[in-house]
Amino acid sequence: METRETALVVIDLQKESGFGLFGLDEVVRNTQRMIESCRAAGIPVIYTRQINRHDGVGLSLDEPRHASGEPQFYADNRDSIEIVEAVKPQDTDIVIDKHRWSAFCDTSLDLMLKSLGVKRLIIGGVVTDGCLMTSVFDAYFRDYRIHLVHDMCTTSSEGAHMAAMTIMANWVYALEVLDTDNMIKWLEGREYAAWQADKVDALPFTPETLREAYGTLTAPATAQ
């Protein structure tokens, strides 16, 4: 079964991630449902955490800092780096700490997935146009098939979210985009609806047509 080669990856759903992200409460609720369904199906649950050393060593180039020199975000001396309580890891889950946006950049994530025999990822998290998108591209570059759960993702603005989702859909060929309800149907072996590209740059858009393109992406008409 495909589920035996599948893992759930939750990107950076940390306490500090509440810095003005729109719709975050819904994202947390959907992530909670997805985690419960994956655990019931025996699918590994993997979390990532963005971590910055409070002394600034290893910090990304020009990362914002306070006047003291401490990173503004995700400093390792603050409790805000922890996963939000509603979806906190269990002892059997895997937590990957990272120092760059992509979950694959200089981390053990790829090693862990290969050790588990994983070839397919269910993925969501924050922020859509940063850590989530770079992780999706890097997963694709490592030949993982990807189920991108759009209502498990968010960022600082609706426009940035829509643009990032549409860009991923246009260029990550081994990608399905679907919502939490349909992802759970897939896990349960039921008929589900998802969007998948049938050609290169399948959803071209302009500033005026972005919402229309995104609507096509998130409301697939065909069942799988």
Side-chain angles (χ1 to χ4, degrees):
M1 292 177 61
E2 291 175 338
T3 53
R4 294 177 182 170
E5 298 179 340
T6 302
L8 171 64
V9 178
V10 179
I11 301 292
D12 297 1
L13 207 56
Q14 297 162 255
K15 294 177 182 178
E16 189 160 316
S17 296
F19 51 86
L21 305 185
F22 83 96
L24 183 61
D25 289 345
E26 181 184 4
V27 167
V28 171
R29 287 193 296 270
N30 289 332
T31 303
Q32 188 174 35
R33 292 176 57 210
M34 186 60 61
I35 289 170
E36 291 170 355
S37 294
C38 284
R39 285 179 177 151
I43 289 174
V45 179
I46 300 174
Y47 299 79
T48 71
R49 300 190 307 174
Q50 180 70 24
I51 304 290
N52 291 324
R53 284 177 57 105
H54 67 277
D55 59 7
V57 175
L59 202 61
S60 295
L61 188 64
D62 293 339
E63 177 86 15
R65 298 176 185 244
H66 294 297
S68 64
E70 182 177 298
Q72 288 186 19
F73 304 109
Y74 301 108
D76 63 4
N77 60 344
R78 300 197 293 260
D79 179 68
S80 54
I81 63 171
E82 301 301 335
I83 306 296
V84 298
E85 190 70 21
V87 296
K88 68 179 182 179
Q90 296 183 353
D91 290 342
T92 53
D93 297 328
I94 295 171
V95 179
I96 303 290
D97 288 342
K98 60 189 183 68
H99 303 281
R100 292 294 185 269
W101 288 1
S102 170
F104 289 91
C105 182
D106 293 334
T107 74
S108 61
L109 178 56
D110 194 43
L111 175 67
M112 295 295 178
L113 293 171
K114 285 181 168 54
S115 180
L116 292 166
V118 170
K119 298 179 181 178
R120 181 183 301 270
L121 304 181
I122 302 167
I123 192 166
V126 301
V127 294
T128 317
D129 53 339
C131 296
L132 188 280
M133 183 164 67
T134 54
S135 298
V136 166
F137 274 109
D138 275 356
Y140 177 51
F141 299 153
R142 289 162 176 78
D143 296 329
Y144 292 99
R145 294 200 173 275
I146 302 163
H147 301 278
L148 177 55
V149 186
H150 66 79
D151 57 1
M152 278 177 56
C153 309
T154 189
T155 189
S156 54
S157 72
E158 185 183 16
H161 173 77
M162 291 192 294
M165 290 292 302
T166 308
I167 288 167
M168 286 185 281
N170 279 336
W171 299 111
V172 181
Y173 304 136
L175 180 75
E176 278 192 341
V177 180
L178 65 174
D179 62 16
T180 301
D181 288 340
N182 280 289
M183 191 71 251
I184 291 173
K185 289 178 182 177
W186 183 89
L187 290 171
E188 296 173 347
R190 295 189 284 150
E191 187 177 84
Y192 70 102
W195 184 93
Q196 191 167 22
D198 57 1
K199 60 181 179 180
V200 175
D201 201 12
L203 292 172
F205 62 90
T206 68
E208 293 76 24
T209 63
L210 173 57
R211 188 175 297 279
E212 179 183 354
Y214 179 72
T216 300
L217 177 65
T218 57
T222 57
Q224 306 290 322

